[in-house]
Amino acid sequence: MGAAQHQLPTTLPPTRLRERPLVRLLDALWRERWLGVSVAAGMAVLTGLLVGTTMPRAPATAGQALVLMLTGFVAGGIAGLAMRSRWAMVLAPVAHVAAFEVARLGTPGITVERIRFDSAYGLLAFILGRGLYGVIGLLPMLLGVAYGVALARRWSSQRQPPSSRLRHSAGRALGALATAGLIALVVLIAWPASTPPVRGTDGRPIAGSIATLERVRLGEHDQWIMIHAASADAPVLLYLSGGPGQSDLMFSRVFFEDLARDFVVVGWDQRGTGKSYAALDPAETLTLDQAVADTVELTNYLRARFDEQKIYLLGESWGSTLGVLAVQWHPELYHAFIGSGQMVSQRETDRRLYHDMLAYAERTGNVEMARTMRRYGEPPYADPLVYAYVMGYYEQLSPYTPPAAYLERGSAAGLVPWGMRGSEYSLIEKANVLRGLMDMFSVMYPQLQEIDFRRDVTRLDVPTYMLMGEHELAARSDLAHEWFAHLEAPHKQEFTFPDAGHSVVFEEFQAFHRIMTDIVVPETYQGG
């Protein structure tokens, strides 16, 4: 009763644990603090250099995201174990990020180049690039540090200051919550993408139909296509999305749902966009000629797969530029070309838009807008975000209400801007929809400045159809009409829609279906 009671240090490990070589080594690190700091910093720098060199846009795929999470967790664990201090939560991420940024210097793209907060688009680029990296790579690193510190204190032969039961319980609860959150994030990242089946008018899946997401090898890079068809025996229609850099998988699935009952409809995430974002690098090989070559290679893949001599080619906006060039290169591969939101000369369109913006600013008394545009001057612009600023005024330059059927179908399908909610994208690919739009645009758009179809494409040796909305920006439509009027082709026809703007093929999806089945196919299809 009278004997003094002494509290035993609960953090003291068993004798056999202290005698292990690893623990003796750690004891040496803990005695010489600078050694522990050096190991922690070295591991963080090493992993930063490794990731920055091998995955400069990490995470660009679900696989890269999982590797990055594991790398961060292990690096953090080693840092926490080596330092035996929560200060590793500062040192490890800072050293890792610094090394990562150095390793990927020179990688082109808005989301990976210099940090900018001078516009909403700059902030968005930061969130999509470095913000995403922070969540996927640095949060696991912080959790790893916490586990490493806890393990170090358990193994340490030095007496640790006692902590209150409440503080200890709170720490354990917080650690468990963070671990559960990390596991949930792993599950969400690994959750595979999918695309709904092709359904008949009764709403039931059509027997023998095709609804797939597939990886194909084009130009020595893995890229993704989506195929929807009620029958593999139908004519093949390849859709080229706009941008450059835009992914339209959900849009094309929703608005071409009826079309897929009569055609094999193929959507393609071009190199550097959406599901194909990881294929952007090396960016110096993503040239205009390579994009056209990829289109031709995909065309030949589809011809062979579906046993067709020719296919139909549909281009929207930038896709119409790509489509015209592909048809010019290899007219023998295509039944016909259909251009929607037809582009003729990006540079001349942008120059006219510049003057339209100044005129709009003067009409509306928008002094700040006029000052901003005059500061930018006439295009082309070295800064891609200037184009984003101009795009923000498209609706004001040509206001209109799209067709009711378009709005109703989009609402029923849960469409959001850029189609990011589509099941066709995994969690990382949803971010890639916007990252691709920014980064692929910044790589490809400067290469389009010398294009002018009025000079370069005066003849196409395939039947050519053009869809034009009356609410299209005059800077685009005037050039398209001028080019189309002088274009030589075996057959050409223009369709104009009073309630449509730029994305005619989606906004007038019902009319487009009728045009294809009632006019284009009877005039051009010669069977497989």
Side-chain angles (χ1 to χ4, degrees), residues 76-89:
I78 293 174
L81 190 61
M83 288 183 64
R84 200 182 57 182
S85 167
R86 290 191 177 90
W87 280 107
M89 289 186 174

Side-chain angles (χ1 to χ4, degrees), residues 26-311:
L26 290 172
D27 271 331
L29 289 177
W30 297 330
R31 284 194 300 270
E32 300 291 340
R33 182 164 295 182
W34 67 271
L35 283 177
V37 170
S38 299
V39 170
M43 177 56 64
V45 168
L46 179 63
T47 55
L49 292 174
L50 181 64
V51 174
T53 301
T54 59
M55 301 184 293
R57 301 181 194 276
T61 65
Q64 287 186 7
L66 296 176
V67 169
L68 181 59
M69 293 179 77
L70 179 61
T71 301
F73 183 81
V74 171
I78 293 174
L81 190 61
M83 288 183 64
R84 200 182 57 182
S85 167
R86 290 191 177 90
W87 280 107
M89 289 186 174
V90 177
L91 176 64
V94 169
H96 175 87
V97 168
F100 173 71
E101 293 290 355
V102 169
R104 68 173 187 167
L105 281 175
T107 302
I110 300 173
T111 67
V112 297
E113 293 174 343
R114 64 186 179 94
I115 297 173
R116 298 177 55 179
F117 296 131
D118 55 345
S119 71
Y121 299 105
L123 177 60
L124 180 61
F126 177 82
I127 293 171
L128 292 170
R130 292 170 174 90
L132 181 64
Y133 187 88
V135 172
I136 302 299
L138 300 187
L139 289 185
M141 182 176 289
L142 294 176
L143 185 60
V145 169
Y147 274 102
V149 170
L151 193 60
R153 291 181 175 178
R154 181 181 177 188
W155 287 356
S156 175
S157 61
Q158 298 181 15
R159 182 186 180 95
Q160 301 297 314
S163 60
S164 68
R165 180 176 298 179
L166 179 61
R167 182 178 177 183
H168 181 70
S169 298
R172 289 175 65 89
L174 184 61
L177 185 62
T179 302
L182 188 64
I183 293 172
L185 183 58
V186 168
V187 172
L188 289 174
I189 289 173
W191 198 269
S194 63
T195 191
V198 177
R199 301 181 184 275
T201 54
D202 59 0
R204 297 180 179 179
I206 298 175
S209 60
I210 305 172
T212 61
L213 296 168
E214 302 179 13
R215 183 189 289 112
V216 293
R217 191 76 173 171
L218 304 173
E220 301 302 319
H221 288 83
D222 287 339
Q223 301 179 44
W224 284 85
I225 60 174
M226 178 181 72
I227 304 176
H228 275 217
S231 169
D233 297 326
V236 177
L237 173 69
L238 172 58
Y239 168 68
L240 307 178
S241 57
Q246 189 164 320
S247 172
D248 276 342
L249 294 186
M250 185 178 183
F251 274 86
S252 59
R253 186 247 301 167
V254 169
F255 291 109
F256 294 161
E257 178 183 357
D258 303 330
L259 196 68
R261 299 187 187 118
D262 297 301
F263 293 84
V264 176
V265 179
V266 182
W268 170 32
D269 266 1
Q270 301 160 33
R271 180 179 164 191
T273 71
K275 295 177 72 68
S276 303
Y277 177 70
L280 180 56
D281 294 309
E284 59 269 18
T285 66
L286 181 52
T287 63
L288 177 59
D289 283 351
Q290 185 59 57
V292 179
D294 286 354
T295 306
V296 173
E297 187 174 359
L298 178 55
T299 296
N300 285 325
Y301 168 81
L302 296 172
R303 290 171 59 237
R305 174 168 175 175
F306 294 101
D307 193 24
E308 292 280 327
Q309 290 297 313
K310 299 180 180 182
I311 70 170

Side-chain angles (χ1 to χ4, degrees), residues 60 128 132 188 191 193 247 250 274-275 416-436:
L128 292 170
L132 181 64
L188 289 174
W191 198 269
S247 172
M250 185 178 183
K275 295 177 72 68
V416 297
W418 303 290
M420 292 174 60
R421 285 184 57 187
S423 62
E424 288 78 11
Y425 308 109
S426 67
L427 182 63
I428 298 300
E429 290 166 350
K430 291 180 188 297
N432 289 348
V433 170
L434 291 181
R435 291 206 289 175

